[in-house]
Amino acid sequence: MSNGGSPYRRHRKDVESGGGSSGGGYDEYESACDAFDIVRTKSAPVDRLRRWRQAALVLNASRRFRYTLDLKKEEEKKEIIAKIRTHTQVVRAADLFIAAGEKPDGTPIAKTETLKAVSSPIPTGDYDVSPEQLATMTRDHDFATFQNFGGVKGLAEKLKTNPDKGINEDESNILDRKRVFGSNTYPRKKGRSFWRFLLDACRDTTLIILMVAAAASLALGIKTEGIKEGWYDGGSIALAVIIVIVVTAVSDYKQSLQFQNLNEEKQNIQLEVVRGGRRVEISIFDIVVGDVIPLKIGDQVPADGVLISGHSLAVDESSMTGESKIVNKDHKSPFLMSGCKVADGYGTMLATSVGINTEWGLLMASISEDNGEETPLQVRLNGVATFIGIVGLVVAVSVLVVLIARYFTGHTKDADGKVQFIAGKTSVGDAIDGVIKIFTVAVTIVVVAVPEGLPLAVTLTLAYSMRKMMADKALVRRLSACETMGSATTICSDKTGTLTLNLMTVVEAYVCGKKIDPPNNTSVLPSGIVSLLIESVAQNTTGSVFLPDGGKDVEVSGSPTEKAILQWGLNLGMIFEAVRSESSIIHAFPFNSEKKRGGVAVKRSDSEVHVHWKGAAEIVLAACTRYMDSNEQLVPLDEAKVEYFKKAIEDMASGSLRCVAIAYRPMKRGMVPTDEDDLANWELPEGDLVLLAIVGLKDPCRPGVREAVQLCVKAGVKVRMVTGDNLQTAKAIALECGILGSNADATEPNLIEGKSFRALSDAQRLDVAERISVMGRSSPNDKLLLVQALRKRGHVVAVTGDGTNDAPALHEADIGLAMGIQGTEVAKESSDIIILDDNFASVVKVVRWGRSVYANIQKFIQFQLTVNVAALIINVVAAVSSGDVPLNAVQLLWVNLIMDTLGALALATEPPTDHLMDRLPVGRREPLITNIMWRNLLIQAFYQVSVLLVLNFRGREILHSQHDPNEHAIKEKNTLIFNAFVFAQIFNEFNARKPDEMNVFKGVTKNRLFMGIVAFTVVLQVVIVMFLGKFTSTVRLSWQLWLVSIVIGFISWPLAIVGKLIPVPERPLADYFVNIFASCSKPRNRGSSSENGDNS
């Protein structure tokens, strides 16, 4: 096969293939003049979305646009959010106004005193405070009421919880709290009922016209032939329409249930709470009033509550107020609102209101209905459906005109050869009945010709894919991302946790200026150093250690890096709770991905203050001026010792270890602010540090990641590693994973540091970005710059991210992939797909599913267009030549059901195959109908039309039925045509499975749905022909004619194999028509130009 045949071949002008200009592919919205040419629906302008809806030819708008963005509801949603935000802002303004007022004695006026007298606590259940009081306090930020309750301690007592250990884990206690204070859920709008889908299916314009025609035919038939015989014509059409409506409604209803389940999964956030002194992971819906919840940067505040303790805690309240203002939270401003995001710092909160008792709950209850979203493929298919529909409409009108002209001019004869209409002799009732039959055929041609199910097939395949992707550990948040992933040309992946296992352990340690082997060997370390290390590890952490009763194993929680260092601390003899109780944190600088370090200031029991830092080894080392030796003496770091440590870091990094340095600085009295406000704004000293230790953490590569990377390379998708880790560590892992082929590849710009890339000009970045394989010591902004440069180069970029600062890059990328385990809520909300197991192999599975979506749609298009072309040509030729059509209205409705609903179910739910990864990514502007598809389609359509037209015009001679009664002979011939046509589609359905492969049966038995639908279609066809002849105007066929029908269908299989040997040109067929049109319009354009010149 000379043209290697993929129906998904890249279009040489397509931006994703790199054939466009350097700027191509970046501006998705401004360049396109075609209403249906929207390559990126992510953040698409509303006017562009409105424009394609108006341009589409639609028979049933409520069904066609069901899964697209409801622009009207979107406006209503914005209005509701604006109202709730206005209320929140009014509360804030009142809060500030009241806070400005003072009583004569100088104490603040309580807000409740200005509005109403403070109500005495109303006991609810066993609690000394009511849900209404708590909701009012947090919603109104009523600090005076909070103080009246006794602050955090008093509130905790009233709620029977402990600020340190949380509530009791007892199930009855949790159920009691849910009964009294409510659950952390909000009322959801019920999904559409089946009857609503049935009503939507009835709104199809052509089906309504057919029902009216059926009613008229029924009335006339009963009037002229009596009720016993006269109801068949009209009744059979009505019954066929009802079956089409019911099957359509059932299919749509099942699809909507799948989307409903997936939407619930999206909202089910997993988070940690403290219960019984231990950290446990629960669903956001299981949080109850009284829960103690740890918060860190990137988390979503899961309920309304008050701050117990925090360090540099800052919250982004824009989701509630609409203002992108970061609000600092401390004991003076302790109120936290559900739905807001932690922008900086860390802390713990006490949940005081949940669910509908929070502003966020009210907001979500108002807008909880999913508003849909169109995908680029859906928009393009609406364009295809519109074009085919217009052609079908023209054909149907032509058939109508020809048939009516033939009828009234006396050229239409009945089965006995009598003229059906004779002016002045034929009764008005018979004439109207004849016209209704003609009109019904024309309308049915429109039903078949307008592929209403084509755009909906995208939704069907996406719903199927999304459900199956959940099993492959991928949760799709945006429908469009699922199909866009099939076009991805590059994946920018994190290292830690995605390419590696994220199971870290300390395997090397340098303490007292020398290597300690094993790293937890305390016998060679002085007690003073061990004490300082333990203090640093226990206090400068966002993790925790829980010691269960009964001598069970210690439970360590936190990020993998924190857990590894805490475990090392435990191995050194750390007793976590005891160490933390001996000193207290007075100020903190949370870990920052820009500075790559975090620190705390600790006040010890002897009032001494130590500042502890922990972070990237070479960065912390650069801030150190001394180290502590084995005699506990502070020794200046001379050049030789600095080189020794740098070499140690480099050696560990080359061995793929993550290097972390721990340092501290003792503060002299007078250097630490004593005033509370000054302390809050104090910047921890970052220089003149004492190096305590450098540790190497081993994080092994994930099993199978090398094979996944190789699969991407074979599929034409370049994998790039973007990590905040040391460049040498990144290089070692990249070599292990296969991102770098060999040490020879590990040179600039293949291997580059973030700061080097950042320093380049825009033009240089565009050039260098193409060649980058590994970027080390990158900041989130470097990742964003890389994504922007790659997209300007015409790439379709997928990016993985887990941190809050990854959000801009995830949003900017064509497909943002957040990590489900280590990812923050901010990262997840900015993403399009969540990788539930944080595994790179799952990312590659998403690519396969993305390609599968596109491939399945193309299979369905090929199948549907073959049916369209064949059915239209057969009926048009027969109508024009003989005034009669071999396929009547009921038969065409059955063919439409096979083609639209059942065909979509069979072909749009094909699972992905490895063959999909043997070809290059699909360009987003590549023609939907490729040359290979045109070849397959035209061969099959030509064969079907030829055979069936021969049967139509020479059928009686072939069947030797010239001497049989006319009516029976014609019915037998038309039944054979109908039967052969249906079997041709059944056999061709197998051909459509593999447009570019010889073996169309590969894997067919694994697709039970496909086999079930084919079997169902065959059984129903037998029932229709053998038992429902009165309804479908068919007669029973002999076994010989059944065999003929099957053979006619079977021939399409060898024909498809022969057809696939025919080479097709590289250039898309559409280009030829565009060029012909352009050459035809040139002379006219020149003429009009000269006219304009004369006029001017």
Side-chain angles (χ1 to χ4, degrees):
M1 207 162 126
S2 60
N3 281 297
S6 163
Y8 323 102
R9 190 187 309 287
R10 303 192 72 74
H11 185 189
R12 60 191 174 81
K13 290 184 181 176
D14 192 77
V15 290
E16 281 79 33
S17 66
S21 64
S22 64
Y26 193 60
D27 191 352
E28 295 92 349
Y29 310 118
E30 301 304 320
S31 60
C33 56
D34 178 7
F36 299 104
D37 187 17
I38 303 177
V39 296
R40 195 176 189 234
T41 52
K42 195 172 176 177
S43 312
V46 172
D47 60 316
R48 284 304 310 273
L49 299 179
R50 192 172 282 118
R51 193 173 146 208
W52 80 258
R53 286 164 173 72
Q54 291 164 349
L57 174 70
V58 179
L59 297 178
N60 187 348
S62 63
R63 185 167 181 249
R64 177 79 73 88
F65 298 132
R66 181 181 299 135
Y67 295 111
T68 59
L69 182 68
D70 190 323
L71 300 177
K72 189 180 175 185
K73 276 189 183 172
E74 192 65 11
E75 287 300 316
E76 289 172 4
K77 180 175 162 181
K78 284 176 183 173
E79 284 174 19
I80 291 166
I81 291 170
K83 283 177 187 173
I84 291 175
R85 281 176 173 171
T86 303
H87 173 258
T88 309
Q89 285 168 341
V90 167
V91 168
R92 297 294 167 276
D95 193 33
L96 292 169
F97 175 74
I98 292 164
E102 284 189 344
K103 284 185 179 180
D105 62 359
T107 57
I109 300 172
K111 186 182 296 184
T112 42
E113 285 177 29
T114 64
L115 302 173
K116 59 184 179 181
V118 181
S119 56
S120 58
I122 307 160
T124 311
D126 291 333
Y127 307 98
D128 297 334
V129 62
S130 71
E132 293 76 21
Q133 286 174 306
L134 291 169
T136 305
M137 178 190 74
T138 48
R139 195 179 296 152
D140 296 349
H141 285 208
D142 193 341
F143 192 69
T145 301
F146 174 59
Q147 286 181 316
N148 289 343
F149 283 143
V152 171
K153 198 175 177 184
L155 204 52
E157 284 174 9
K158 289 179 186 295
L159 292 172
K160 295 186 169 27
T161 184
N162 184 303
D164 297 318
K165 295 187 176 181
I167 63 170
N168 192 332
E169 279 190 276
D170 182 38
E171 190 65 34
S172 60
N173 175 36
I174 291 165
L175 288 171
D176 186 51
R177 288 174 185 275
K178 283 184 179 180
R179 182 183 59 79
V180 174
F181 298 105
S183 64
N184 201 26
T185 55
Y186 45 85
R188 308 267 177 95
K189 291 183 180 175
K190 281 187 179 177
R192 295 179 178 205
S193 67
F194 171 73
W195 304 110
R196 180 82 182 272
F197 284 96
L198 203 66
L199 184 66
D200 281 353
C202 293
R203 287 176 178 164
D204 191 301
T205 312
T206 49
L207 294 183
I208 291 167
I209 294 168
L210 282 175
M211 285 300 268
V212 171
S217 178
L218 197 64
L220 281 165
I222 291 168
K223 186 182 175 185
T224 53
E225 296 177 46
I227 195 161
K228 196 173 181 181
E229 293 291 324
W231 72 275
Y232 282 116
D233 282 354
S236 58
I237 294 170
L239 188 65
V241 169
I242 289 165
I243 290 169
V244 168
I245 287 170
V246 170
V247 171
T248 302
V250 168
S251 172
D252 289 352
Y253 179 61
K254 286 188 76 178
Q255 209 170 307
S256 80
L257 291 178
Q258 286 181 16
F259 280 118
Q260 218 168 298
N261 293 337
L262 287 164
N263 283 330
E264 283 175 16
E265 197 64 44
K266 283 183 211 172
Q267 292 160 348
N268 188 10
I269 298 167
Q270 297 295 313
L271 58 121
E272 283 188 334
V273 296
V274 178
R275 286 183 178 173
R278 70 197 295 179
R279 288 195 187 190
V280 290
E281 193 173 86
I282 62 167
S283 163
I284 190 169
F285 304 132
D286 294 331
I287 282 176
V288 292
V289 169
D291 261 327
V292 172
I293 306 159
L295 297 173
K296 61 183 185 301
I297 186 167
D299 283 352
Q300 177 177 311
V301 178
D304 279 3
V306 292
L307 184 69
I308 297 170
S309 65
H311 301 288
S312 307
L313 190 70
V315 176
D316 178 3
E317 294 185 345
S318 58
S319 58
M320 289 308 302
T321 63
E323 297 172 3
S324 53
K325 187 180 175 186
I326 306 299
V327 181
N328 291 310
K329 296 293 173 182
D330 51 34
H331 70 277
K332 291 181 181 175
S333 175
F335 298 104
L336 292 156
M337 285 193 295
S338 178
C340 298
K341 305 291 186 300
V342 179
D344 201 5
Y346 57 91
T348 52
M349 68 170 279
L350 174 66
T352 57
S353 295
V354 293
I356 202 68
N357 291 325
T358 67
E359 292 271 7
W360 181 252
L362 290 170
L363 177 65
M364 295 309 289
S366 311
I367 60 169
S368 62
E369 192 175 8
D370 188 50
N371 217 7
E373 171 222 352
E374 52 259 67
T375 73
L377 200 52
Q378 205 175 7
V379 177
R380 289 180 72 191
L381 282 172
N382 270 286
V384 173
T386 298
F387 174 74
I388 297 168
I390 289 167
V391 171
L393 215 53
V394 170
V395 169
V397 170
S398 307
V399 168
L400 182 67
V401 171
V402 168
L403 288 179
I404 284 179
R406 287 182 65 96
Y407 181 78
F408 284 113
T409 54
H411 288 85
T412 305
K413 296 177 182 179
D414 62 14
D416 298 320
K418 292 178 185 175
V419 175
Q420 285 190 349
F421 180 83
I422 301 169
K425 291 185 179 178
T426 305
S427 69
V428 174
D430 287 346
I432 291 171
D433 195 35
V435 170
I436 286 171
K437 283 178 181 173
I438 291 167
F439 184 70
T440 303
V441 168
V443 172
T444 312
I445 286 173
V446 176
V447 173
V448 176
V450 178
E452 196 72 3
L454 197 54
L456 294 167
V458 181
T459 320
L460 182 67
T461 191
L462 285 172
Y464 168 78
S465 301
M466 285 166 71
R467 194 178 80 245
K468 292 290 185 183
M469 282 166 77
M470 278 292 286
D472 279 344
K473 304 297 179 188
L475 171 63
V476 179
R477 295 187 73 253
R478 284 179 63 87
L479 273 178
S480 57
C482 197
E483 69 184 45
T484 307
M485 202 65 187
S487 301
T489 57
T490 187
I491 300 171
C492 297
S493 174
D494 285 337
K495 176 185 73 69
T496 307
T498 308
L499 297 169
T500 62
L501 279 170
N502 220 1
L503 295 173
M504 297 195 188
T505 46
V506 174
V507 293
E508 284 191 33
Y510 287 79
V511 187
C512 299
K514 61 187 178 186
K515 186 175 180 179
I516 305 299
D517 193 18
N520 54 349
N521 185 3
T522 51
S523 63
V524 296
L525 296 175
S527 59
I529 284 261
V530 174
S531 175
L532 281 168
L533 279 171
I534 285 173
E535 181 180 272
S536 181
V537 168
Q539 294 288 20
N540 191 12
T541 184
T542 53
S544 71
V545 176
F546 174 71
L547 189 62
D549 296 330
K552 292 179 183 175
D553 289 342
V554 174
E555 294 174 16
V556 182
S557 59
S559 72
T561 306
E562 295 286 3
K563 281 160 78 174
I565 293 172
L566 282 169
Q567 187 60 55
W568 182 60
L570 290 170
N571 295 343
L572 292 175
M574 174 179 74
I575 300 168
F576 187 72
E577 290 299 336
V579 175
R580 285 177 76 93
S581 63
E582 286 168 8
S583 57
S584 60
I585 299 170
I586 57 170
H587 193 56
F589 178 88
F591 180 84
N592 183 303
S593 55
E594 291 287 343
K595 291 197 169 186
K596 307 221 176 286
R597 60 181 178 271
V600 291
V602 174
K603 191 171 186 179
R604 292 154 61 100
S605 54
D606 58 5
S607 296
E608 275 190 40
V609 174
H610 286 172
V611 173
H612 289 281
W613 285 97
K614 177 178 71 185
E618 69 269 31
I619 292 173
V620 173
L621 177 63
C624 293
T625 55
R626 293 166 293 171
Y627 74 98
M628 194 173 280
D629 67 9
S630 50
N631 297 318
E632 298 187 18
Q633 297 299 308
L634 296 182
V635 182
L637 270 171
D638 55 22
E639 200 173 319
K641 206 63 185 174
V642 169
E643 284 306 313
Y644 169 78
F645 284 126
K646 281 184 177 177
K647 179 74 170 59
I649 292 166
E650 198 171 310
D651 289 346
M652 285 193 284
S654 300
S656 72
L657 301 188
R658 168 175 276 193
C659 301
V660 175
I662 297 169
Y664 96 113
R665 177 174 166 178
M667 301 301 295
K668 293 175 183 174
R669 292 182 187 276
M671 292 181 69
V672 181
T674 50
D675 181 71
E676 205 172 303
D677 290 333
D678 291 342
L679 188 62
N681 298 315
W682 181 43
E683 285 192 15
L684 291 183
E686 298 178 15
D688 195 22
L689 305 182
V690 176
L691 183 67
L692 293 177
I694 297 175
V695 292
L697 287 74
K698 181 68 177 171
D699 186 14
C701 259
R702 282 185 180 272
V705 79
R706 189 179 181 87
E707 290 77 12
V709 169
Q710 292 311 311
L711 192 61
C712 283
V713 172
K714 187 175 78 165
V717 182
K718 184 174 174 69
V719 181
R720 304 166 202 269
M721 181 198 289
V722 184
T723 177
D725 254 356
N726 183 302
L727 200 58
Q728 293 305 315
T729 309
K731 174 187 162 185
I733 294 287
L735 285 165
E736 202 177 329
C737 293
I739 292 171
L740 289 174
S742 64
N743 274 309
D745 295 335
T747 55
E748 262 200 39
N750 265 11
L751 189 73
I752 195 169
E753 269 205 347
K755 63 181 179 185
S756 305
F757 182 68
R758 201 182 315 144
L760 298 172
S761 66
D762 287 352
Q764 287 171 321
R765 270 202 296 270
L766 280 180
D767 182 48
V768 168
E770 191 75 42
R771 290 180 282 165
I772 291 173
S773 294
V774 178
M775 188 189 286
R777 281 289 175 245
S778 70
S779 68
N781 194 49
D782 297 331
K783 189 187 272 191
L784 177 62
L785 289 171
L786 178 63
V787 170
Q788 288 172 338
L790 288 169
R791 289 194 62 230
K792 283 179 183 175
R793 292 280 304 188
H795 282 283
V796 178
V797 185
V799 167
T800 70
D802 51 17
T804 304
N805 294 330
D806 286 330
L810 289 168
H811 187 266
E812 177 68 25
D814 296 283
I815 314 105
L817 304 157
M819 297 298 109
I821 300 169
Q822 289 302 316
T824 62
E825 279 312 309
V826 171
K828 288 175 187 174
E829 286 213 352
S830 299
S831 71
D832 305 302
I833 297 173
I834 298 171
I835 305 300
L836 299 172
D837 62 353
D838 291 13
N839 192 343
F840 184 77
S842 300
V843 175
V844 180
K845 285 176 186 172
V846 174
V847 175
R848 284 175 85 233
W849 277 109
R851 292 186 176 196
S852 174
V853 167
Y854 197 87
N856 287 351
I857 293 303
Q858 288 192 310
K859 292 169 190 176
F860 181 56
I861 290 172
Q862 181 181 305
F863 173 69
Q864 190 168 45
L865 289 190
T866 306
V867 186
N868 273 354
V869 170
L872 286 177
I873 292 175
I874 292 162
N875 269 8
V876 169
V877 172
V880 171
S881 57
S882 64
D884 196 14
V885 286
L887 299 171
N888 63 35
V890 176
Q891 291 167 359
L892 282 175
L893 283 170
W894 168 231
V895 168
N896 185 61
L897 201 61
I898 296 172
M899 182 180 75
D900 251 16
T901 310
L902 298 179
L905 267 172
L907 293 168
T909 55
E910 277 278 318
T913 61
D914 292 335
H915 179 64
L916 292 168
M917 299 300 278
D918 291 337
R919 50 175 77 120
L920 293 172
V922 181
R924 291 189 297 186
R925 279 205 171 94
E926 198 169 306
L928 267 174
I929 309 170
T930 64
N931 288 358
I932 283 174
M933 290 168 66
W934 277 120
R935 179 195 64 197
N936 299 345
L937 185 160
L938 292 172
I939 287 170
Q940 292 295 334
F942 179 76
Y943 163 69
Q944 289 177 21
V945 168
S946 303
V947 170
L948 298 181
L949 284 180
V950 167
L951 284 175
N952 188 56
F953 294 113
R954 291 284 176 265
R956 290 185 69 175
E957 288 93 320
I958 294 167
L959 298 173
H960 306 297
S961 61
Q962 301 99 315
H963 307 299
D964 292 354
N966 268 350
E967 187 177 356
H968 181 269
I970 290 169
K971 272 192 174 181
E972 187 180 51
K973 177 200 73 175
N974 285 350
T975 303
L976 178 61
I977 291 170
F978 167 57
N979 207 35
F981 184 65
V982 169
F983 272 97
Q985 308 323 318
I986 291 168
F987 280 89
N988 192 39
E989 210 159 351
F990 285 86
N991 292 329
R993 287 185 70 244
K994 308 282 181 184
D996 60 335
E997 292 180 59
M998 289 295 185
N999 183 5
V1000 297
F1001 307 108
K1002 190 177 177 183
V1004 72
T1005 52
K1006 291 177 184 174
N1007 190 347
R1008 290 180 184 175
L1009 186 61
F1010 181 90
M1011 296 301 287
I1013 285 168
V1014 168
F1016 175 73
T1017 309
V1018 171
V1019 169
L1020 225 59
Q1021 180 64 17
V1022 172
V1023 170
I1024 286 167
V1025 173
M1026 300 303 285
F1027 306 107
L1028 300 176
K1030 281 277 190 184
F1031 292 100
T1032 55
S1033 303
T1034 56
V1035 294
R1036 290 189 176 190
L1037 296 176
S1038 64
W1039 69 267
Q1040 292 96 334
L1041 292 183
W1042 274 102
L1043 197 61
V1044 168
S1045 302
I1046 292 166
V1047 168
I1048 288 169
F1050 177 82
I1051 291 170
S1052 71
W1053 283 352
L1055 193 67
I1057 292 169
V1058 173
K1060 284 168 187 173
L1061 297 171
I1062 301 170
V1064 294
E1066 285 280 344
R1067 190 176 175 194
L1069 203 63
D1071 276 13
Y1072 294 101
F1073 294 108
V1074 169
N1075 289 347
I1076 291 165
F1077 176 79
S1079 59
C1080 292
S1081 62
K1082 271 178 188 173
R1084 188 178 64 202
N1085 289 346
R1086 280 201 294 272
S1088 63
S1089 300
S1090 60
E1091 272 176 39
N1092 290 343
D1094 294 340
N1095 290 340
S1096 60

